[in-house]
């Protein structure tokens, strides 16, 4: 059905719900590239007025990608929890907005509501929120996950240690790994983006990471971010896989372009859980997402990129992940042009993921052809810290020499923890104190105090 | 309050010796939670070089003066992206020739030829200005000595890789080779990429192309790049294919990457 709103003598009409959401989306390059953005500033606000009046129930009957054609739509509809939705079933999108920002929406209420919300509902309401509301609401949500430590507790901030190297050189990676550990990084995961998906090379990296983790008895998990089919093959070969990684998107066609399906993710989760390597919990998946991925695969079905992104969170939530990471600024300026668009998108992603019950982290990042710099990242980093983001990346000097983009450094995490009083995951914090890296208050000790320095990893002694 | 003692410049961390194993910015040291000032400025300078490269322009007067020594006519074309901001946000426009360029190229095609060479600014015209002439001084004579018929040399502004497919088709070339400035990284603002397509025509995607990347003296040197391209172009023409098929059929090509414009970690 169509939607409309009149401003003065001008009536704006929107052919369907997905078009209404697209036109209501704050301006960004990817929606203009896809031809789904509002033509004028007035049309955008008209769409937001019209969107505010849409009953939430409509999202259960008017699907964005046809049920018959798309397994992500089927997942969203078939797993919708009507009982959790019931208390808000009579709300419009605008009423959901008013309720979310009210004092009634506390942590318990939001956690209870999560299974009743669909990604499209969450995307819709995010379009009516200002940045401060995206932060303020997300901050109330606590999503805790466990594998070998406890992530997401209120007042804590974890980091993924990302020691990439352009040729997967074991010593080069180990050098960055040691650097990160000595700066207190790595409680979310020790996670390498491999330069190639070659199973033998990925296996070598997994064994090196696992060796370092065991040598220093670090309460964390490791991961090589290869394709999930490579992980499955390595599990069969007996490689030390802690958690399985995969990039995911919000439509079946986009996932197909990544070479995955829901059944493949299911298989990977089952195979990883069967290894039983988690000591504190069984959240065994790590997903990465990012606005624009569906459009870049020409698989967006006329949806705006933020709504596609929220649908990817429905995929993620199915497999109870340990970590979900929006790699927000990596995709480039044709999707998110500048620092303003990257910051807005990151806050939306964090808000939508958290509201759907996901352990959201954000890769606070940009490429050199985007109109952004480290000052924009400082702003976003600080906002996400306030919003209660579960984890950020830790990269030597913020400069990833393999992927060729800039993210957040080990120092950036020290800054954020200091200004906001955030602590590492409790088990990891205890390890850092025991190693002489941080003191009992979470402050970094002089570098020479660290015990790790006296016994470098095998890869560096060779 | 009396004069504060000037703080000593923070030293690198005791594990600075590990820098021998990686170019990553490790063991930086710190003051408070900040990196030392000289590290902050070094990062800013590297980013400044990358930003300047994105906004650099083809030095047409110098290229037009230098390139004719290769013995090929040179023609300048534009894509449909009118400005750099538009180019950055509309990759689709950077893949299509401006109308005037279409007419000009169609008029130039004398008959079928083997290889069309396109010099495209991409995301770093600096890379073309610096590295294209020395590379072509090696590659063009080798191609000519092998008896290959070359089309006029095309300088393309606000151009993406796929623009070459339309150029190649209009020039009736069996194969198009696009030299293009790669997305600048902090370590290299001037890296040149070389992409080639057999049977070029609009609408082809990355699977149809092969790439030799990181061409610059500190990466893949001119001589090595020229040799590699000469071999690969010959194979593509002989087997009448490029892209995934060419990669699969030759173990020697295994190290090539397809060089998509929007990557994804993991």
């Amino acid at each position: 059905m169509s939607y409309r709103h009149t401003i003065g003598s001008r009536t704006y009409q929107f052919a369907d719900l997905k078009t209404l959401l697209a036109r209501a989306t704050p301006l960004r390059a990817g929606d203009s590239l896809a031809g789904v953005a509002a033509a004028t500033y007035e049309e955008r606000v008209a769409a937001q007025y019209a969107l505010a009046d849409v009953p939430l129930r409509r999202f259960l009957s008017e699907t964005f990608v046809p049920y018959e054609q798309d397994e992500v739509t089927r997942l969203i509809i078939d797993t919708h929890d009507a009982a959790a939705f019931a208390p808000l079933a009579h709300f419009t999108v605008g009423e959901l907005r008013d309720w979310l920002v009210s004092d009634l929406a506390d942590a318990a209420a939001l956690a209870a509501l999560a299974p009743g919300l669909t990604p499209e509902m969450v995307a819709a309401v995010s379009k009516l929120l200002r940045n401060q509301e995206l932060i303020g609401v997300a901050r109330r949500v606590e999503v805790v996950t466990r594998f070998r430590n406890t992530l997401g507790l209120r007042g804590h901030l974890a980091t993924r240690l990302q020691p990439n190297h352009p040729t997967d050189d074991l010593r080069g990676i180990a050098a960055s790994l040691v650097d990160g550990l000595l700066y207190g990084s790595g409680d979310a995961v020790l996670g390498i983006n491999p330069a190639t998906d070659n199973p033998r090379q990925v296996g070598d990296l997994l064994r090196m990471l696992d060796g370092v983790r065991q040598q220093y008895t670090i309460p964390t998990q490791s991961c090589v971010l290869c394709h999930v089919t490579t992980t499955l093959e390595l599990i069969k070969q007996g490689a030390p896989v802690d958690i399985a990684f995969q990039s995911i998107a919000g439509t079946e066609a986009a996932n197909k372009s990544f070479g995955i399906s829901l059944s493949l993710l299911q298989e990977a989760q089952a195979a990883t859980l069967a290894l039983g390597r988690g000591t504190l919990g069984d959240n065994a998946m790590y997903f990465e997402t990012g606005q624009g991925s569906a459009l870049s695969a020409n698989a967006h079905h006329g949806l705006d990129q933020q709504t596609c992104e929220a649908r990817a969170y429905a995929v993620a939530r199915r497999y109870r992940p340990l970590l979900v990471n929006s790699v927000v600024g990596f995709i480039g300026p044709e999707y998110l042009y500048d620092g303003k668009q990257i910051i807005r998108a990151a806050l939306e992603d964090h808000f939508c993921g958290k509201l759907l019950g996901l352990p959201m982290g954000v890769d606070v990042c940009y490429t050199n052809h985007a109109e952004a710099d480290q000052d924009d990242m400082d702003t976003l980093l600080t906002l996400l810290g306030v919003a209660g983001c579960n984890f950020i990346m830790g990269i030597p000097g913020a400069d990833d020499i393999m992927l060729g983009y800039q993210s957040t450094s080990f120092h950036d995490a020290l800054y954020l923890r200091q200004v906001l009083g955030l602590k590492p995951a409790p088990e990891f914090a205890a390890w850092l104190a025991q190693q002489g890296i941080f003191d009992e208050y979470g402050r970094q000790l002089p570098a020479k105090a660290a015990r790790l320095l006296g016994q470098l990893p095998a890869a560096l002694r060779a | 309050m009396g004069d504060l003692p000037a703080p000593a410049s923070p030293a690198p961390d005791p594990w600075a010796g590990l820098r021998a194993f990686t170019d990553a910015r490790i063991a930086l040291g710190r003051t408070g939670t900040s990196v030392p000032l000289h590290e902050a400025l070094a990062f800013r300078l590297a980013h400044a070089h990358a930003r300047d490269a994105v906004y650099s322009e083809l030095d047409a007067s110098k290229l037009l003066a230098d390139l004719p020594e290769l013995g090929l006519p040179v023609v300048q074309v534009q894509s449909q992206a009118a400005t750099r901001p538009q180019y950055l946000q509309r990759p689709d426009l950077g893949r299509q020739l401006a109308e005037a360029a279409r007419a000009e190229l169609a008029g130039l095609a004398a008959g079928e030829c083997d290889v069309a060479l396109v010099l495209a600014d991409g995301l770093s015209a600096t890379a073309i200005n610096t590295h294209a002439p020395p590379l072509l001084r090696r590659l063009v004579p080798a191609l000519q000595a092998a008896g290959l018929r070359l089309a006029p040399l095309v300088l393309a502004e606000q151009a993406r890789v796929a623009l070459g497919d339309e150029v190649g088709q209009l020039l009736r070339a069996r194969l198009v080779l696009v030299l293009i400035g790669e997305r600048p990284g902090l370590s290299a603002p001037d890296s040149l990429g070389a992409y080639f397509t057999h049977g070029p025509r609009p609408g082809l995607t990355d699977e149809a192309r092969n790439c030799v990347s990181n061409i610059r003296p500190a990466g893949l040197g001119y001589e090595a790049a020229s040799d590699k391209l000469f071999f690969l172009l010959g194979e593509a023409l002989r087997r009448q294919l490029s892209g995934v098929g060419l990669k699969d059929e030759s173990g020697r090509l295994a190290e090539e990457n397809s060089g998509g414009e929007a990557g994804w970690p993991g």
Side-chain angles (χ1 to χ4, degrees), chain A residues 245-251 254-255 258 260 265 286-290 293 309 311-317 319 324, chain B residues 264:
Chain A
F245 167 82
Q246 184 54 46
S247 289
I248 57 170
T251 68
N255 283 328
F258 287 164
I260 60 160
L265 295 177
Y286 173 11
F287 294 119
E288 283 190 352
T289 66
S293 60
E309 171 72 5
R311 283 169 56 98
Y313 303 154
V315 174
R317 125 168 121 168
Y319 307 101
V324 178
Chain B
W264 202 248

Side-chain angles (χ1 to χ4, degrees), chain B residues 189-207:
Chain B
D190 61 342
S191 187
L192 186 73
Y195 294 78
F196 60 89
T197 319
H198 184 271
R201 58 189 184 282
L204 293 177
T205 57
D206 286 340
E207 297 92 76

Side-chain angles (χ1 to χ4, degrees), chain A residues 253-431:
Chain A
N255 283 328
K256 197 174 168 204
S257 82
F258 287 164
I260 60 160
S261 63
L262 298 183
S263 61
L264 184 62
L265 295 177
Q266 182 77 52
E267 186 186 344
Q269 186 196 21
T272 309
L273 283 176
L275 300 175
R277 292 169 61 89
T279 50
L280 292 187
D282 62 354
N283 300 112
M285 302 297 283
Y286 173 11
F287 294 119
E288 283 190 352
T289 66
Q291 292 190 25
S293 60
L295 175 60
S296 83
N298 202 17
H300 62 294
H301 298 275
L303 274 61
D304 67 87
Q305 66 185 32
Q306 191 255 332
T307 300
C308 280
E309 171 72 5
R311 283 169 56 98
Y313 303 154
V315 174
R317 125 168 121 168
R318 178 71 172 160
Y319 307 101
R320 300 186 299 108
L322 182 74
L323 307 162
V324 178
N325 178 25
S326 166
V327 194
V328 64
F330 186 81
I331 195 162
E334 61 268 45
Y335 302 93
L336 296 167
Y337 183 61
D338 56 15
K340 180 180 173 69
Q341 293 184 9
I342 292 171
I343 288 167
R344 171 76 198 181
L347 295 176
E348 290 166 348
D349 293 351
H350 179 258
F351 165 88
C352 289
K354 280 284 174 73
L355 228 57
L356 291 168
L358 289 176
M360 288 305 292
V362 176
D363 191 343
V364 175
C365 65
Y366 63 103
T367 57
N368 286 324
H369 59 325
E371 297 293 314
D373 62 18
Q374 224 58 27
D375 286 336
D376 295 306
M377 298 305 106
D378 288 344
T379 303
L380 176 54
L381 174 72
T382 308
L383 296 178
L384 286 167
V386 176
C389 185
N390 283 30
F391 67 102
I392 56 171
M393 307 305 112
I395 296 170
D399 172 11
D400 189 310
I401 58 170
M402 198 283 277
L403 293 169
Y405 77 127
Q406 286 87 254
S407 178
T408 45
S409 66
F410 306 137
H411 295 71
D412 290 334
L414 296 179
Y415 148 78
L416 196 58
R417 284 170 175 164
Q418 183 183 74
V419 294
L420 296 177
L422 301 170
K423 299 187 201 75
E427 301 83 358
F428 195 78
W431 178 80

Side-chain angles (χ1 to χ4, degrees), chain B residues 129-146:
Chain B
N129 294 336
T130 314
H131 305 312
L135 177 67
L136 290 177
R137 274 196 288 274
R138 289 163 176 82
L139 182 61
V140 167
L143 295 172
Q144 286 168 330

